[in-house]
Every structure is written in structure tokens, then in C-alpha cells.
mmCIF file of all heavy atoms in Angstrom:
data_model
loop_
_atom_site.group_PDB
_atom_site.id
_atom_site.type_symbol
_atom_site.label_atom_id
_atom_site.label_comp_id
_atom_site.label_asym_id
_atom_site.label_seq_id
_atom_site.Cartn_x
_atom_site.Cartn_y
_atom_site.Cartn_z
ATOM 1 N N GLY A 1 -22.924 38.944 15.214
ATOM 2 C CA GLY A 1 -23.445 40.038 14.457
ATOM 3 C C GLY A 1 -24.488 40.847 15.163
ATOM 4 O O GLY A 1 -25.269 41.601 14.537
ATOM 5 N N GLY A 2 -24.574 40.694 16.485
ATOM 6 C CA GLY A 2 -25.650 41.350 17.259
ATOM 7 C C GLY A 2 -25.522 42.817 17.413
ATOM 8 O O GLY A 2 -26.490 43.487 17.759
ATOM 9 N N TYR A 3 -24.321 43.389 17.214
ATOM 10 C CA TYR A 3 -24.159 44.845 17.255
ATOM 11 C C TYR A 3 -24.314 45.347 15.851
ATOM 12 O O TYR A 3 -23.391 45.310 15.036
ATOM 13 C CB TYR A 3 -22.781 45.166 17.864
ATOM 14 C CG TYR A 3 -22.679 44.900 19.343
ATOM 15 C CD1 TYR A 3 -22.097 43.716 19.801
ATOM 16 C CD2 TYR A 3 -23.261 45.751 20.234
ATOM 17 C CE1 TYR A 3 -22.060 43.415 21.127
ATOM 18 C CE2 TYR A 3 -23.192 45.495 21.623
ATOM 19 C CZ TYR A 3 -22.607 44.330 22.059
ATOM 20 O OH TYR A 3 -22.550 44.021 23.423
ATOM 21 N N LEU A 4 -25.498 45.856 15.583
ATOM 22 C CA LEU A 4 -25.882 46.153 14.175
ATOM 23 C C LEU A 4 -25.245 47.415 13.670
ATOM 24 O O LEU A 4 -25.183 48.446 14.383
ATOM 25 C CB LEU A 4 -27.375 46.253 14.082
ATOM 26 C CG LEU A 4 -28.172 44.973 14.466
ATOM 27 C CD1 LEU A 4 -29.677 45.233 14.286
ATOM 28 C CD2 LEU A 4 -27.735 43.754 13.677
ATOM 29 N N ASP A 5 -24.818 47.395 12.422
ATOM 30 C CA ASP A 5 -24.464 48.560 11.671
ATOM 31 C C ASP A 5 -25.709 49.211 11.144
ATOM 32 O O ASP A 5 -26.508 48.584 10.437
ATOM 33 C CB ASP A 5 -23.519 48.163 10.508
ATOM 34 C CG ASP A 5 -23.197 49.312 9.577
ATOM 35 O OD1 ASP A 5 -23.478 50.457 9.929
ATOM 36 O OD2 ASP A 5 -22.710 49.014 8.478
ATOM 37 N N ALA A 6 -25.975 50.472 11.524
ATOM 38 C CA ALA A 6 -27.211 51.129 11.138
ATOM 39 C C ALA A 6 -27.323 51.424 9.639
ATOM 40 O O ALA A 6 -28.360 51.655 9.115
ATOM 41 C CB ALA A 6 -27.390 52.438 11.979
ATOM 42 N N THR A 7 -26.170 51.479 8.967
ATOM 43 C CA THR A 7 -26.185 51.733 7.535
ATOM 44 C C THR A 7 -26.552 50.462 6.746
ATOM 45 O O THR A 7 -26.492 49.371 7.309
ATOM 46 C CB THR A 7 -24.819 52.214 7.043
ATOM 47 O OG1 THR A 7 -23.922 51.084 6.911
ATOM 48 C CG2 THR A 7 -24.198 53.245 7.976
ATOM 49 N N PRO A 8 -26.897 50.608 5.449
ATOM 50 C CA PRO A 8 -27.251 49.373 4.695
ATOM 51 C C PRO A 8 -26.006 48.570 4.267
ATOM 52 O O PRO A 8 -26.134 47.525 3.691
ATOM 53 C CB PRO A 8 -27.931 49.982 3.470
ATOM 54 C CG PRO A 8 -27.504 51.370 3.352
ATOM 55 C CD PRO A 8 -27.168 51.821 4.732
ATOM 56 N N ASN A 9 -24.794 49.001 4.689
ATOM 57 C CA ASN A 9 -23.591 48.303 4.314
ATOM 58 C C ASN A 9 -23.442 47.000 5.109
ATOM 59 O O ASN A 9 -22.707 46.069 4.682
ATOM 60 C CB ASN A 9 -22.378 49.190 4.553
ATOM 61 C CG ASN A 9 -22.394 50.363 3.644
ATOM 62 O OD1 ASN A 9 -22.822 50.338 2.504
ATOM 63 N ND2 ASN A 9 -21.928 51.513 4.172
ATOM 64 N N GLY A 10 -24.075 46.887 6.271
ATOM 65 C CA GLY A 10 -24.120 45.637 6.980
ATOM 66 C C GLY A 10 -22.870 45.160 7.645
ATOM 67 O O GLY A 10 -22.589 43.990 7.796
ATOM 68 N N PHE A 11 -22.046 46.098 8.175
ATOM 69 C CA PHE A 11 -20.825 45.735 8.850
ATOM 70 C C PHE A 11 -21.165 45.488 10.303
ATOM 71 O O PHE A 11 -20.803 46.269 11.223
ATOM 72 C CB PHE A 11 -19.789 46.854 8.712
ATOM 73 C CG PHE A 11 -19.330 47.135 7.288
ATOM 74 C CD1 PHE A 11 -19.359 48.417 6.786
ATOM 75 C CD2 PHE A 11 -18.961 46.085 6.477
ATOM 76 C CE1 PHE A 11 -18.985 48.647 5.502
ATOM 77 C CE2 PHE A 11 -18.609 46.340 5.149
ATOM 78 C CZ PHE A 11 -18.592 47.632 4.666
ATOM 79 N N HIS A 12 -21.836 44.395 10.571
ATOM 80 C CA HIS A 12 -22.337 44.083 11.938
ATOM 81 C C HIS A 12 -21.180 43.534 12.795
ATOM 82 O O HIS A 12 -20.352 42.779 12.309
ATOM 83 C CB HIS A 12 -23.479 43.113 11.905
ATOM 84 C CG HIS A 12 -24.608 43.566 10.997
ATOM 85 N ND1 HIS A 12 -25.142 44.848 11.057
ATOM 86 C CD2 HIS A 12 -25.296 42.955 10.033
ATOM 87 C CE1 HIS A 12 -26.118 44.982 10.165
ATOM 88 N NE2 HIS A 12 -26.222 43.795 9.526
ATOM 89 N N GLY A 13 -21.208 43.885 14.076
ATOM 90 C CA GLY A 13 -20.141 43.491 14.964
ATOM 91 C C GLY A 13 -20.596 42.403 15.901
ATOM 92 O O GLY A 13 -21.765 42.239 16.203
ATOM 93 N N SER A 14 -19.617 41.602 16.387
ATOM 94 C CA SER A 14 -19.873 40.493 17.315
ATOM 95 C C SER A 14 -18.979 40.633 18.522
ATOM 96 O O SER A 14 -17.800 41.025 18.379
ATOM 97 C CB SER A 14 -19.611 39.143 16.681
ATOM 98 O OG SER A 14 -20.449 38.988 15.502
ATOM 99 N N ALA A 15 -19.483 40.328 19.693
ATOM 100 C CA ALA A 15 -18.681 40.354 20.904
ATOM 101 C C ALA A 15 -17.739 39.132 20.855
ATOM 102 O O ALA A 15 -18.188 38.013 20.601
ATOM 103 C CB ALA A 15 -19.544 40.313 22.136
ATOM 104 N N LEU A 16 -16.456 39.329 21.157
ATOM 105 C CA LEU A 16 -15.516 38.206 21.161
ATOM 106 C C LEU A 16 -15.598 37.471 22.460
ATOM 107 O O LEU A 16 -15.605 38.095 23.541
ATOM 108 C CB LEU A 16 -14.056 38.714 20.975
ATOM 109 C CG LEU A 16 -13.784 39.360 19.610
ATOM 110 C CD1 LEU A 16 -12.292 39.682 19.516
ATOM 111 C CD2 LEU A 16 -14.178 38.431 18.462
ATOM 112 N N PRO A 17 -15.754 36.119 22.406
ATOM 113 C CA PRO A 17 -15.867 35.379 23.679
ATOM 114 C C PRO A 17 -14.487 35.385 24.361
ATOM 115 O O PRO A 17 -13.425 35.679 23.783
ATOM 116 C CB PRO A 17 -16.211 33.942 23.126
ATOM 117 C CG PRO A 17 -15.711 33.950 21.741
ATOM 118 C CD PRO A 17 -15.769 35.301 21.203
ATOM 119 N N PRO A 18 -14.477 35.053 25.670
ATOM 120 C CA PRO A 18 -15.617 34.525 26.390
ATOM 121 C C PRO A 18 -16.483 35.584 27.051
ATOM 122 O O PRO A 18 -17.583 35.308 27.463
ATOM 123 C CB PRO A 18 -14.938 33.684 27.452
ATOM 124 C CG PRO A 18 -13.667 34.411 27.770
ATOM 125 C CD PRO A 18 -13.194 34.944 26.429
ATOM 126 N N ALA A 19 -15.964 36.795 27.195
ATOM 127 C CA ALA A 19 -16.680 37.854 27.936
ATOM 128 C C ALA A 19 -17.577 38.664 26.985
ATOM 129 O O ALA A 19 -17.136 39.064 25.892
ATOM 130 C CB ALA A 19 -15.702 38.732 28.644
ATOM 131 N N THR A 20 -18.795 38.939 27.412
ATOM 132 C CA THR A 20 -19.726 39.748 26.644
ATOM 133 C C THR A 20 -19.817 41.124 27.299
ATOM 134 O O THR A 20 -19.974 41.232 28.520
ATOM 135 C CB THR A 20 -21.099 39.109 26.623
ATOM 136 O OG1 THR A 20 -21.017 37.831 25.990
ATOM 137 C CG2 THR A 20 -22.100 39.947 25.864
ATOM 138 N N PRO A 21 -19.718 42.190 26.556
ATOM 139 C CA PRO A 21 -19.857 43.542 27.111
ATOM 140 C C PRO A 21 -21.207 43.705 27.856
ATOM 141 O O PRO A 21 -22.216 43.066 27.512
ATOM 142 C CB PRO A 21 -19.812 44.474 25.901
ATOM 143 C CG PRO A 21 -19.025 43.673 24.837
ATOM 144 C CD PRO A 21 -19.434 42.250 25.073
ATOM 145 N N THR A 22 -21.224 44.512 28.851
ATOM 146 C CA THR A 22 -22.382 44.799 29.608
ATOM 147 C C THR A 22 -23.271 45.864 28.973
ATOM 148 O O THR A 22 -22.745 46.910 28.482
ATOM 149 C CB THR A 22 -22.018 45.240 31.046
ATOM 150 O OG1 THR A 22 -21.127 44.287 31.619
ATOM 151 C CG2 THR A 22 -23.222 45.434 31.910
ATOM 152 N N ALA A 23 -24.557 45.633 28.883
ATOM 153 C CA ALA A 23 -25.479 46.691 28.435
ATOM 154 C C ALA A 23 -25.471 47.829 29.448
ATOM 155 O O ALA A 23 -25.537 47.581 30.661
ATOM 156 C CB ALA A 23 -26.866 46.130 28.230
ATOM 157 N N PHE A 24 -25.454 49.026 28.980
ATOM 158 C CA PHE A 24 -25.297 50.214 29.853
ATOM 159 C C PHE A 24 -26.097 51.378 29.280
ATOM 160 O O PHE A 24 -26.394 51.398 28.107
ATOM 161 C CB PHE A 24 -23.762 50.522 29.894
ATOM 162 C CG PHE A 24 -23.362 51.300 31.122
ATOM 163 C CD1 PHE A 24 -23.360 50.748 32.392
ATOM 164 C CD2 PHE A 24 -23.005 52.647 31.013
ATOM 165 C CE1 PHE A 24 -22.945 51.466 33.488
ATOM 166 C CE2 PHE A 24 -22.600 53.364 32.120
ATOM 167 C CZ PHE A 24 -22.596 52.755 33.359
ATOM 168 N N GLU A 25 -26.362 52.282 30.154
ATOM 169 C CA GLU A 25 -27.053 53.547 29.733
ATOM 170 C C GLU A 25 -26.025 54.481 29.120
ATOM 171 O O GLU A 25 -25.048 54.885 29.731
ATOM 172 C CB GLU A 25 -27.715 54.235 30.923
ATOM 173 C CG GLU A 25 -28.390 55.575 30.593
ATOM 174 C CD GLU A 25 -29.632 55.418 29.701
ATOM 175 O OE1 GLU A 25 -30.119 54.271 29.585
ATOM 176 O OE2 GLU A 25 -30.141 56.417 29.194
ATOM 177 N N GLY A 26 -26.240 54.788 27.828
ATOM 178 C CA GLY A 26 -25.232 55.582 27.112
ATOM 179 C C GLY A 26 -25.594 57.050 27.013
ATOM 180 O O GLY A 26 -26.581 57.555 27.572
ATOM 181 N N GLY A 27 -24.733 57.748 26.306
ATOM 182 C CA GLY A 27 -25.011 59.178 26.059
ATOM 183 C C GLY A 27 -26.191 59.350 25.177
ATOM 184 O O GLY A 27 -26.901 60.389 25.210
ATOM 185 N N ILE A 28 -26.486 58.366 24.307
ATOM 186 C CA ILE A 28 -27.644 58.330 23.459
ATOM 187 C C ILE A 28 -28.258 56.961 23.583
ATOM 188 O O ILE A 28 -27.784 56.016 22.951
ATOM 189 C CB ILE A 28 -27.294 58.646 21.968
ATOM 190 C CG1 ILE A 28 -26.613 60.010 21.854
ATOM 191 C CG2 ILE A 28 -28.557 58.593 21.079
ATOM 192 C CD1 ILE A 28 -26.099 60.276 20.447
ATOM 193 N N ALA A 29 -29.255 56.805 24.426
ATOM 194 C CA ALA A 29 -29.896 55.500 24.675
ATOM 195 C C ALA A 29 -28.900 54.498 25.195
ATOM 196 O O ALA A 29 -28.025 54.839 25.988
ATOM 197 C CB ALA A 29 -30.642 55.023 23.427
ATOM 198 N N GLY A 30 -29.015 53.198 24.738
ATOM 199 C CA GLY A 30 -28.166 52.159 25.237
ATOM 200 C C GLY A 30 -26.765 52.176 24.630
ATOM 201 O O GLY A 30 -26.547 52.681 23.532
ATOM 202 N N CYS A 31 -25.820 51.503 25.355
ATOM 203 C CA CYS A 31 -24.481 51.384 24.839
ATOM 204 C C CYS A 31 -23.883 50.123 25.401
ATOM 205 O O CYS A 31 -24.522 49.344 26.097
ATOM 206 C CB CYS A 31 -23.625 52.609 25.244
ATOM 207 S SG CYS A 31 -23.213 52.634 27.020
ATOM 208 N N ALA A 32 -22.598 49.844 25.043
ATOM 209 C CA ALA A 32 -21.888 48.692 25.471
ATOM 210 C C ALA A 32 -20.754 49.141 26.446
ATOM 211 O O ALA A 32 -20.003 50.065 26.120
ATOM 212 C CB ALA A 32 -21.302 47.905 24.337
ATOM 213 N N LYS A 33 -20.681 48.507 27.596
ATOM 214 C CA LYS A 33 -19.625 48.793 28.560
ATOM 215 C C LYS A 33 -18.521 47.711 28.369
ATOM 216 O O LYS A 33 -18.732 46.506 28.589
ATOM 217 C CB LYS A 33 -20.126 48.754 30.000
ATOM 218 C CG LYS A 33 -19.097 49.119 31.047
ATOM 219 C CD LYS A 33 -19.679 49.169 32.421
ATOM 220 C CE LYS A 33 -18.635 49.574 33.479
ATOM 221 N NZ LYS A 33 -19.218 49.633 34.836
ATOM 222 N N LEU A 34 -17.337 48.183 27.926
ATOM 223 C CA LEU A 34 -16.229 47.302 27.636
ATOM 224 C C LEU A 34 -15.226 47.361 28.782
ATOM 225 O O LEU A 34 -14.686 48.478 29.091
ATOM 226 C CB LEU A 34 -15.605 47.682 26.301
ATOM 227 C CG LEU A 34 -16.511 47.662 25.126
ATOM 228 C CD1 LEU A 34 -15.885 48.371 23.878
ATOM 229 C CD2 LEU A 34 -16.817 46.219 24.716
#
């Protein structure tokens, strides 16, 4: 659940193992590189 849903609905996402997406510089602050 580490990829947070910014709304109060709480639909948080999780990276599926075994590979974790790489943190990357996005168009708006940070993003995930898949």
C-alpha cells in the first residue's frame, strides 16, 4: 500500500514482487519507473 491514493477513498497501490519500480524524476515531482 505504499503508493498512496491522494483521495480519502484509500485505494492504495502496492508494487507486485519480486521487482520494485524505480523511483524517478517525474513530470510533477517524483514518479515510478516501470
